[in-house]
Amino acid sequence: MNNSVSQNQRVLSGMRPTGLMHLGQYHGVLKNWVELQHSYECFFFVADWHALTTHYENTASIAQSSFDLVVDWLAAGVNPGSSTIFIQSRVPEHAELHTLLSMITPLGWLERVPSYKDQQDKLKDKDLSTYGFLGYPLLQSADILIYKAGHVPVGEDQVAHVELTREVARRFNHLYGKEPDFEQKAQTAIKKMGKKNARIYNDLLRRYQEQGDAEALSVGHALLDSQQNISIGDKERLTGYLEGGGRIILPEPQALLTRSSKMPGLDGQKMSKSYNNSISLREAPEAIEKKIRTMPTDPARIRRTDPGDPQKCPVWQWHEVYSSDDLRAEISSACTTASIGCVDCKQHIVDSVIKELKPIQQRVREFEQDPSSVESIINEGCEAARDVARDTISEVRRAMGLRLG
Ligand code: TRP
Ligand code: SF4
């Protein structure tokens, strides 16, 4: 959507602390986070409350898993100098916003989120009939909106949660974006842009509101975005004014869809801890070797002399991730002519995975030897996140009439 939000350069994403990270998550999610740090202001957090929604019976490892998760991020290249790294439960403002949003969220919106029924069907052995589980996506909305994040990198399964967030934000702005003196404040803000820009803005406003001119709307957004002289509050006000609504207090985020990773599990299915087909980032070289050696291959290759078809082999999918074009061409023809054995073919993957993980594991060891450095990264991140979250929550309290002035 072409509103002020698409220009918002803040990214927020979270992961639940449910055990060590595996290669699938590394290739699918974490590498993407590391990339995003170059172009956006990033907030990455451990969603420990979200872990409670499905693991409330056994919480013994949540705190340790949260710490380990941060270590994995740091080791993989998430940079605390450019990203804010924090833990959800240490920023209680998320919970306050969740409570406030729960007041305006129709029950049906939550019941209709596909993951609600899907997960209940899938995780039959778990009791997911709790209030917390129903509220899972709304807590996620609070996570996003408390930072006014413009972009939320997520996998396909989470897109509906971002969509819900957009609806909740829209409802919130609709209900509470109309300050009593909105009109007057908007007029004052227009003047602050200077004569020339004010004239352009008023003209665009008229074209959009009287003629429904969509181009005028998008030019208007660009104009507001380029203003240096007005505060963020005024920008939000003028965006709402241009769009014909109230002030945008909680901007609608966009899902930044993470391409699903090409990295399959050891058996060719999606890599997942629960399928027992994964390699963790901390896996020892011997274990990596053993796991890859025992991967299934093209079932037609019973004997060493039987030709194979890479398209029918899970190992080939790993070559797609790890091997150069040249090596792939070589392997592909050697497989179909039975001039390479599967053991040798797999050895390339063993070597590549070990090589890729070596520096990461080295950094994991360094951080583990110096846990206080990780603690201070987390402490600083939590403080920085709280500063932003506090600003939003006080704005929200005021807009909802819980505070004067
Ligand atoms: N629900 C997400 C997952 O399971 C984790 C999460 C919680 C999240 N809050 C978030 C992701 C906010 C993005 C934004 O993967
Ligand atoms: Fe699979 Fe490689 Fe064996 Fe071919 S040679 S079947 S690609 S492991």
Side-chain angles (χ1 to χ4, degrees):
M1 212 176 105
N2 196 8
N3 62 15
S4 61
V5 178
S6 58
Q7 281 118 34
N8 181 338
Q9 295 301 300
R10 186 175 287 160
V11 155
L12 171 118
S13 199
M15 259 187 227
R16 291 182 302 152
T18 50
L20 291 175
M21 289 198 64
H22 58 63
L23 274 181
Q25 291 168 301
Y26 173 64
H27 283 274
V29 184
L30 203 48
K31 276 171 112 177
N32 186 236
W33 284 14
V34 171
E35 277 302 306
L36 288 167
Q37 298 181 112
H38 302 302
S39 335
Y40 296 94
E41 179 196 9
C42 293
F43 284 70
F44 297 126
F45 74 100
V46 178
D48 54 350
W49 282 334
H50 277 105
L52 283 179
T53 60
T54 49
H55 292 66
Y56 61 84
E57 287 156 311
N58 183 4
T59 58
S61 57
I62 290 193
Q64 186 63 47
S65 296
S66 299
F67 182 89
D68 293 345
L69 197 55
V70 171
V71 169
D72 281 351
W73 296 352
L74 295 170
V78 176
N79 176 359
S82 53
S83 297
T84 304
I85 299 171
F86 64 99
I87 295 178
Q88 185 184 36
S89 65
R90 298 209 4 212
V91 187
E93 287 77 10
H94 291 224
E96 183 173 343
L97 185 58
H98 180 214
T99 298
L100 296 175
L101 295 177
S102 79
M103 306 300 168
I104 65 162
T105 305
L107 211 45
W109 288 12
L110 294 173
E111 287 163 340
R112 273 198 303 274
V113 173
S115 56
Y116 181 57
K117 287 246 153 22
D118 289 356
Q119 293 286 90
Q120 284 187 330
D121 290 344
K122 227 159 96 202
L123 306 173
K124 279 249 157 51
D125 53 325
K126 290 228 155 88
D127 167 27
L128 298 181
S129 56
T130 59
Y131 178 48
F133 186 70
L134 177 67
Y136 184 116
L138 190 64
L139 177 58
Q140 186 163 349
S141 301
D143 296 337
I144 298 168
L145 297 174
I146 196 96
Y147 301 102
K148 302 189 176 185
H151 304 272
V152 185
V154 284
E156 204 110 38
D157 60 325
Q158 300 284 313
V159 172
H161 296 175
V162 180
E163 200 46 52
L164 173 81
T165 306
R166 296 167 58 84
E167 280 168 29
V168 170
R170 213 172 299 147
R171 186 166 166 87
F172 184 94
N173 295 327
H174 176 73
L175 287 168
Y176 308 114
K178 296 257 165 59
E179 310 153 288
D181 45 0
F182 181 62
E183 180 84 28
Q184 195 200 330
K185 281 192 170 148
Q187 292 300 340
T188 312
I190 293 174
K191 289 207 187 83
K192 285 189 199 148
M193 287 195 291
K195 256 208 185 105
K196 180 157 161 262
N197 286 327
R199 201 171 51 238
I200 300 174
Y201 176 89
N202 281 326
D203 183 50
L204 293 166
L205 178 85
R206 195 182 39 73
R207 272 169 53 202
Y208 178 61
Q209 296 203 348
E210 289 173 16
Q211 298 147 28
D213 181 344
E215 198 201 323
L217 180 63
S218 77
V219 176
H221 285 137
L223 173 74
L224 290 174
D225 206 46
S226 68
Q227 295 304 303
Q228 314 281 339
N229 294 339
I230 59 176
S231 67
I232 292 176
D234 275 342
K235 262 187 210 181
E236 290 164 349
R237 216 165 258 124
L238 291 183
T239 303
Y241 196 58
L242 177 68
E243 289 170 1
R247 179 178 160 212
I248 309 283
I249 298 165
L250 299 176
E252 292 176 39
Q254 307 278 336
L256 208 59
L257 195 61
T258 316
R259 272 183 299 110
S260 61
S261 159
K262 279 196 289 178
M263 183 86 229
L266 291 159
D267 54 2
Q269 293 188 71
K270 184 180 154 82
M271 189 181 282
S272 159
K273 267 169 280 208
S274 50
Y275 298 164
N276 234 335
N277 63 357
S278 60
I279 289 181
S280 97
L281 286 189
R282 303 186 185 198
E283 202 90 41
E286 309 74 57
I288 295 173
E289 182 145 16
K290 191 159 160 225
K291 285 187 170 179
I292 293 173
R293 283 259 171 92
T294 50
M295 275 176 79
T297 59
D298 176 359
R301 288 204 82 178
I302 299 163
R303 284 172 299 260
R304 165 72 177 76
T305 48
D306 294 330
D309 176 357
Q311 295 310 320
K312 296 187 179 137
C313 176
V315 178
W316 179 252
Q317 293 172 262
W318 287 55
H319 278 290
E320 306 247 40
V321 175
Y322 285 103
S323 304
S324 65
D325 292 352
D326 287 352
L327 180 59
R328 277 210 310 278
E330 192 185 313
I331 299 242
S332 177
S333 87
C335 173
T336 45
T337 54
S339 57
I340 187 175
C342 294
V343 175
D344 292 335
C345 177
K346 287 171 168 179
Q347 192 59 42
H348 291 288
I349 304 291
V350 172
D351 295 342
S352 304
V353 173
I354 291 177
K355 186 166 165 221
E356 174 179 57
L357 292 184
K358 197 173 169 198
I360 296 179
Q361 297 187 346
Q362 175 60 31
R363 284 192 293 270
V364 167
R365 275 191 295 275
E366 286 163 16
F367 283 118
E368 301 232 288
Q369 276 157 19
D370 185 11
S372 65
S373 73
V374 180
E375 282 302 342
S376 38
I377 288 169
I378 295 175
N379 290 342
E380 278 170 34
C382 291
E383 276 316 307
R386 272 199 97 170
D387 284 344
V388 178
R390 279 198 194 99
D391 283 349
T392 307
I393 206 72
S394 45
E395 220 181 319
V396 165
R397 287 177 192 146
R398 248 179 284 124
M400 288 183 83
L402 297 166
R403 289 281 198 285
L404 295 171

